[in-house]
């Protein structure tokens, strides 16, 4: 989802909305009873964690007073062992550029392999790319985003280590309407043909890729593995909210299924070989009529206030694309969530409650059931990153909610992991086992560098007794996760986007992309700087455009307590602060970024399991007068390896934060810059680390409908200007990056 406020002045970035005006800007002293307070730091460390964190045992207990051992010491003791001291990034950094092309480091080649509209079934016509194409339920969707790699054997079976045949699971987050129709989108009421194209361009692609005789991957247009999941594909409701009264609709009177997955942003790959995809800005797809608030219980309006779609007696909540205006049939009617029937089974008043989840897909069968994993919570989901599985311990999954001042979450399964789970034949049954039953937590970041996971469960008195919303049952808690996290006093963060787990240390990294609501001296609904979100400043773009808050974002990382996946405490620091290299070193460029690695608004974040490189992708609106969005390679150390600088603001305000070890010229480098008007996102690789895939989302989306007849006026002509496909309209696409000599990408 792009972040530009201009030059597209009419575009309101749905990511950058404020729905959290709850009264918990800081740690609240909420009494949490019934939680295990013992055993978390007992029993020592095992396996790789012990090797990496030899000093941890000594440092983690030093500050724990009394018998309360469910705490960890601030990360200020003996510096942890750097897991990557012997590694260095050897490629020459790519300079910042506004060129309308794929610019990759010297010695590497970037090749477009799969773009919006490409055929995905036998007999589908080649894409003309002139606005006349249709049948997108058998073509690539638009706005490629999160992406995962699923190895395939020559015989067509799951083969995790395959380096020459695979399935890519690709999210299609939203659409660039201007390029999908001959003259751009028509006014409302929307023609059904246009709405059908737009609905089909959403969702997920499962697409086969295979190496040819030239040793390079190409996608397989007629593969029987290819699958399109769209905004109207039937999906089962799984987990704690399945069958909940708040999910009853005319389509599913028992609340067990729904149609469509919306605004699929980040992804994850489960340890049992399936895809998980996060539903992010789904709220805006629905029309809610003026006056609807008077037809509902107060609780439902509280939920709307927290998730979007508030209305008044005279003001409706208009839908993003107007699909509900395309006809009176049920296909269109379910995009209008107004109360109109006698009961919930007679209308779509709860249709929106079936969006906002992590959705699990088994990529190895094009007809497999798809499941929304409601126990993982309902919010603006980004990626889902799994902790490194340990036999005999629960599975941990980390997730962010991307809106201003929203929270970081962790899921902990009730079941313990066993080696056999990794390769169980029924992958969705394994998903049932690990993703339906367990505990969801929200994160509290204390200013001293410690943190706490607080359970979002009715067994937690803070949830059960929450004055802001009376949860009816566990399903209601899951459907209204944001309210439950408010109840436990979770810490408001600067828009949590993707997360990733370091393959060696197990530490968890979250991008906090930016927050225009953060202030040193907040007024109204603005949020005050704190240790984990310490910056607020003014950035100038193009000489005249000013942006305030934490404009460039940062990357926070967390080290779990010694209970590992089940820990309810953690320590944290900030791996990197985004900044322009020339900006103030004491208040903005705290990580000392240089011209070779400065970046703004980190969004995608993926660790290579092959090299350990932390790949950071940007979705920026602040540095775009100087450079297009980019991909940066990092070799991080570990929590606590840096300093504790104090930011002194005017007015006597100061904030002490926790800053990771400063990057060097060989531990942080810009590797790639995308074409104009794009976001760089979605990253996966072959298991041997020699081929990387990334996605370019919405290049040229600043193009005006009035300029469609004149390609020279398109703000981007990528990827056709690189020789890919017909027409000159810009297209989202998957890019393959290979090394010209043999070897792993980035090293
Ligand atoms: Fe889809 Fe928050 O980016
Ligand atoms: Ca600037
Ligand atoms: Ca994103
Ligand atoms: Ca973003």
């Amino acid at each position: 989802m792009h972040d530009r406020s201009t030059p597209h002045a009419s575009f309101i970035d749905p990511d950058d909305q404020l729905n959290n005006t709850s009264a918990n800007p800081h740690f609240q002293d909420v009494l949490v009873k019934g939680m295990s307070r013992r055993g978390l730091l007992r029993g020592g460390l095992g396996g790789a964690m012990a090797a990496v964190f030899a000093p941890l045992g000594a440092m983690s207990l030093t500050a724990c007073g009394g018998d309360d051992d469910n705490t960890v010491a601030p990360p200020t003791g003996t510096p942890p062992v750097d897991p990557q001291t012997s590694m260095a990034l050897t490629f020459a950094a790519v300079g910042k550029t506004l060129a309308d092309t794929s610019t990759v480091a010297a010695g590497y080649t970037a090749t477009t392999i799969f773009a919006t509209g490409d055929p995905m079934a036998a007999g589908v016509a080649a894409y003309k790319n002139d606005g006349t194409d249709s049948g997108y339920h058998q073509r690539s969707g638009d706005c490629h985003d999160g992406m995962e790699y699923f190895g395939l054997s020559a015989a067509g079976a799951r083969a995790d280590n395959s380096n020459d045949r695979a399935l890519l699971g690709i999210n299609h987050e939203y659409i660039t309407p201007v390029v999908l129709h001959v003259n751009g989108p028509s006014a409302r009421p929307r023609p059904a043909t246009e709405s059908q194209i737009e609905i089909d361009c959403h969702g997920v692609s499962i697409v086969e890729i295979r190496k040819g005789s030239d040793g390079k991957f190409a996608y397989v247009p007629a593969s029987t593995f290819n699958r399109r999941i769209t905004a109207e594909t039937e999906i089962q409701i799984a987990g704690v909210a399945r069958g909940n009264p708040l999910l009853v609709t005319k389509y599913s009177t028992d609340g067990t299924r729904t149609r469509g997955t919306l605004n699929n942003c980040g992804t994850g790959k489960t340890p049992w070989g399936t895809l998980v995809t996060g539903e992010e800005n789904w709220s805006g797809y629905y029309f809610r009529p003026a006056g609807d608030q008077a037809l509902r219980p107060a609780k439902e309006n509280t939920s709307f206030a927290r998730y979007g779609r508030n209305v008044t007696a005279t003001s409706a909540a208009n839908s993003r694309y107007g699909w509900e205006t395309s006809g009176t049939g049920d296909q269109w009617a379910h995009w209008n969530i107004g109360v109109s029937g006698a009961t919930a089974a007679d209308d779509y008043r709860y249709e929106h409650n079936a969006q906002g989840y992590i959705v699990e897909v088994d990529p190895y069968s094009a007809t497999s059931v798809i499941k929304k994993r409601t126990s993982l919570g309902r919010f603006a989901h980004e990626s889902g990153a799994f902790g490194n599985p340990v036999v005999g311990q629960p599975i941990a999954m980390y997730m962010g909610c991307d809106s201003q001042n929203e929270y970081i979450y962790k899921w902990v399964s009730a079941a313990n992991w066993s080696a056999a789970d990794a390769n169980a034949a029924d992958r969705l049954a394994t998903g049932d086992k690990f993703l339906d039953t367990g505990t969801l937590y929200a994160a509290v970041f204390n200013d001293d560098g410690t943190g706490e996971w607080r359970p979002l469960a009715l067994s937690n008195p803070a949830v059960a007794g929450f004055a802001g919303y009376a949860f009816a049952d566990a399903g209601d808690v899951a459907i209204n996760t944001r309210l439950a996290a408010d109840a436990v006093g979770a810490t408001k963060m600067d828009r949590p986007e993707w997360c990733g787990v370091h393959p060696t240390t197990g530490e968890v990294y979250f991008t906090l992309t930016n927050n225009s609501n953060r202030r040193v001296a907040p007024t109204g609904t603005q949020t005050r700087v704190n240790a984990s979100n310490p910056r607020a400043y003014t950035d100038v773009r193009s000489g005249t455009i000013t942006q305030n808050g934490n404009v460039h974002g940062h990357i926070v990382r967390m080290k779990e307590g010694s209970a590992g996946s089940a820990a309810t405490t953690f320590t944290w620091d900030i791996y990197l602060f985004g900044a322009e290299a020339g900006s103030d070193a004491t208040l903005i460029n705290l990580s000392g970024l240089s011209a070779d690695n400065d970046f703004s608004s980190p969004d995608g974040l993926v660790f290579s399991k092959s090299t350990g490189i932390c790949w950071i992708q940007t979705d920026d609106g602040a540095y775009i007068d100087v450079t297009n969005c980019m991909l940066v390679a990092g070799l991080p150390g570990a929590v606590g390896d840096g300093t504790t600088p104090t930011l002194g603001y005017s007015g006597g305000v100061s904030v002490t934060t926790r800053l990771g070890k400063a990057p060097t010229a060989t531990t942080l480098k810009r590797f790639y810059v995308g074409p104009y008007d794009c976001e760089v996102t979605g990253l996966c690789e072959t298991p041997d680390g020699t081929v990387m895939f990334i996605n370019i989302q919405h290049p040229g989306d600043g193009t005006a409908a009035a300029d469609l007849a004149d390609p020279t006026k398109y703000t981007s002509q990528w990827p056709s200007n690189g020789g890919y496909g017909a027409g000159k309209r810009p297209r989202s696409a998957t890019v393959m990056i290979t090394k010209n000599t043999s070897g792993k990408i980035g090293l």
Side-chain angles (χ1 to χ4, degrees), residues 63-399:
C64 298
D67 64 355
D68 184 358
D69 62 4
N70 188 21
T71 55
V72 286
T76 54
T78 308
V81 175
D82 186 332
Q84 293 168 320
T85 47
S86 63
M87 295 173 63
L89 301 167
T90 55
F91 61 87
V94 169
K96 297 184 286 289
T97 178
L98 293 168
D100 186 29
T101 185
S102 263
T103 305
V104 68
Y108 292 84
T109 299
T111 310
T112 302
I113 63 165
F114 182 64
T116 300
D118 277 343
M120 290 181 65
V124 176
Y127 195 57
K128 296 194 290 290
N129 192 25
D130 59 3
T132 66
D133 300 280
S134 61
Y136 286 87
H137 63 294
Q138 294 182 312
R139 299 182 180 278
S140 168
D142 198 11
C143 286
H144 300 37
D145 205 338
M147 176 165 57
E148 303 293 338
Y149 181 99
F150 301 92
L152 201 59
S153 72
R158 175 182 168 194
D160 290 353
N161 293 323
S162 172
N163 292 300
D164 51 17
R165 188 183 182 197
L167 304 171
L168 295 179
I170 300 174
N171 279 349
H172 300 292
E173 187 183 27
Y174 67 120
I175 53 174
T176 305
V178 69
V179 298
L180 293 176
H181 311 297
V182 174
N183 298 308
S186 302
R188 302 176 193 210
R190 302 293 313 286
T193 51
E194 290 188 10
S195 291
Q196 189 68 60
I197 286 169
E198 296 173 7
I199 286 168
D200 288 343
C201 277
H202 281 73
V204 178
S205 286
I206 306 295
V207 61
E208 183 182 344
I209 56 170
R210 197 192 283 233
K211 275 183 181 168
S213 54
D214 60 354
K216 298 288 181 70
F217 277 105
Y219 96 95
V220 183
S223 170
T224 54
F225 285 101
N226 290 352
R227 182 181 198 179
R228 277 307 320 286
I229 300 162
T230 75
E232 60 183 23
T233 301
E234 178 170 324
I235 300 181
Q236 292 291 310
I237 309 279
V240 68
R242 178 176 171 85
N244 192 279
L246 292 173
L247 287 165
V248 168
T249 65
K250 191 176 174 183
Y251 180 74
S252 180
T253 56
D254 63 356
T256 60
R257 62 191 185 121
T258 190
R259 280 168 290 190
T261 181
L262 289 175
N263 215 256
N264 301 77
C265 186
T267 50
K269 184 175 178 179
T270 67
W272 51 95
T274 62
L275 172 74
V276 287
T277 167
E279 298 175 335
E280 190 191 4
N281 293 301
W282 41 273
S283 173
Y285 286 73
Y286 296 100
F287 175 80
R288 189 180 177 211
D292 186 66
Q293 87 286 3
L295 305 176
R296 296 182 183 257
K299 273 180 60 178
E300 292 179 18
N301 291 313
T302 299
S303 178
F304 278 116
R306 205 55 189 79
Y307 284 90
R309 304 291 90 190
N310 261 343
V311 295
T312 68
T314 56
S315 175
N318 216 357
S319 63
R320 193 163 169 183
Y321 301 119
W323 297 334
E324 78 286 351
T325 67
S326 287
T328 55
D330 194 68
Q331 180 188 11
W332 314 113
H334 73 97
W335 299 106
N336 181 335
I337 56 174
V339 172
S340 61
T343 72
D346 300 312
D347 60 26
Y348 288 101
R349 71 185 67 176
Y350 295 143
E351 182 76 350
H352 56 289
N353 285 340
Q355 299 288 340
Y357 299 106
I358 290 286
V359 185
E360 186 179 14
V361 181
D362 182 351
Y364 292 103
S365 166
T367 57
S368 56
V369 168
I370 305 164
K371 296 195 174 188
K372 299 210 178 192
R373 298 295 183 186
T374 61
S375 300
L376 308 184
R378 175 171 167 265
F379 44 88
H381 275 285
E382 290 280 336
S383 69
F386 288 84
N388 302 324
V390 177
V391 170
Q393 293 186 15
I395 288 291
M397 180 182 179
Y398 301 89
M399 301 169 284

Side-chain angles (χ1 to χ4, degrees), residues 696-716:
I696 298 302
Q697 189 184 89
H698 66 70
D701 75 339
T703 300
D707 292 333
L708 284 170
D710 182 357
T712 66
K713 292 183 178 172
Y714 300 173
T715 63
S716 170

Side-chain angles (χ1 to χ4, degrees), residues 538-543 545 547 551-552 580 583 600 620-626:
T538 298
D539 178 70
V540 178
R541 189 178 95 211
S542 305
I545 301 166
Q547 292 171 269
V551 180
H552 301 300
E580 300 175 12
S583 56
S600 177
D620 187 35
Y623 213 6
I624 51 175
D625 51 344
V626 173

